[in-house]
Every structure is written in structure tokens, then in C-alpha cells.
Amino acid sequence: MPNAGGCHCGAVRYEVSGDVLHSALCHCSDCRKSSGAPAVAWAGFRADNFRVTQGEVRTINSSGST
């Protein structure tokens, strides 16, 4: 069964399926600021188990670091 999600601005939606390869809790200032929570949980999947269902994916460096 696929899981669905999207980006912070709502322009992009996606589905993932298959086994989780790795997961983590992030508590960096960007994640805390964008979620309004003390930490954000995330998971990594194989690229072929990922599908964009709405919008166009692009990279944005919100922290400004290189």
C-alpha cells in the first residue's frame, strides 16, 4: 500500500511504496521552524518506489549553506 506526502508549500505531492531503507528524527532549526514541532520524522525509500503525482520537483536550499 503506497504512502502519500508532499512538500511544505503544497505544490508537489508524491507516493512511496516498499520497505523503508532508513529513518530518522531531525531537530535542526529549519525542520523545527517549518513544522512548528521539536522534531520531524522522515524515511528514505528506493528511488524506483517514489513517484511524483502532482507538480514539478525542484531543489531549494532554505538554509543557504553550501
Side-chain angles (χ1 to χ4, degrees):
M1 169 183 238
N3 292 297
C7 68
H8 178 67
C9 75
V12 176
R13 298 292 300 166
Y14 57 83
E15 287 183 350
V16 293
S17 60
D19 295 332
V20 175
L21 298 178
H22 51 87
S23 61
L25 288 173
C26 184
H27 54 84
C28 76
S29 60
D30 286 338
C31 286
R32 291 193 321 258
K33 186 177 179 181
S34 66
S35 68
V40 174
W42 60 269
F45 293 81
R46 289 175 45 102
D48 57 349
N49 290 346
F50 176 86
R51 180 172 75 94
V52 175
T53 59
Q54 174 187 310
E56 253 183 74
V57 177
R58 62 185 185 148
T59 301
I60 296 175
N61 181 351
S62 62
S63 66
S65 61
T66 58

